[in-house]
Amino acid sequence: MSDPQIHVVMPNVGIDMLAGIRCKIASDATNNECTVLEVTLQAEQGAGLHVHQRESELVLVQSGTCTVGDAVQQWPLDVGGMAHFPKQTPHFF
């Protein structure tokens, strides 16, 4: 494993992947620990229950609201709210 690296990404910088999704830091830059995506969703959009085998996922709400959860619980998040889903943990947003 290589030495850890600090990654700094300025606003409006990244690789546009699909409409509303920009990759800020790719998983290969973090030894598959995480991928950092900036995602803009419309009302009622999101990801259903799913699992990441290699990396954890963080959700940070920057505007509006977002409901996150697992097969048992759900939490409404407002601006500034954050959720962390460890790898191999079923979750949705």
Side-chain angles (χ1 to χ4, degrees), residues 12-30:
N12 302 315
V13 174
I15 299 170
D16 291 329
M17 299 172 65
L18 298 169
I21 301 176
R22 177 180 287 160
C23 183
K24 303 292 276 187
I25 300 174
S27 62
D28 60 352
T30 67

Side-chain angles (χ1 to χ4, degrees), residues 61-75:
V61 179
Q62 293 186 297
S63 67
T65 62
C66 183
T67 301
V68 300
D70 58 22
V72 179
Q73 289 183 277
Q74 63 181 31
W75 300 268

Side-chain angles (χ1 to χ4, degrees), residues 4 8 19 32 39 47 49-50 60-61 63 66 73 79 82 86:
V8 176
N32 294 323
V39 181
L49 196 63
H50 64 284
L60 171 63
V61 179
S63 67
C66 183
Q73 289 183 277
V79 173
M82 179 184 282

Side-chain angles (χ1 to χ4, degrees), residues 26-35 52-56 87:
S27 62
D28 60 352
T30 67
N31 292 317
N32 294 323
E33 290 180 20
C34 70
T35 300
H52 300 278
Q53 297 299 323
R54 297 185 321 175
E55 65 262 346
S56 62
K87 65 181 174 181

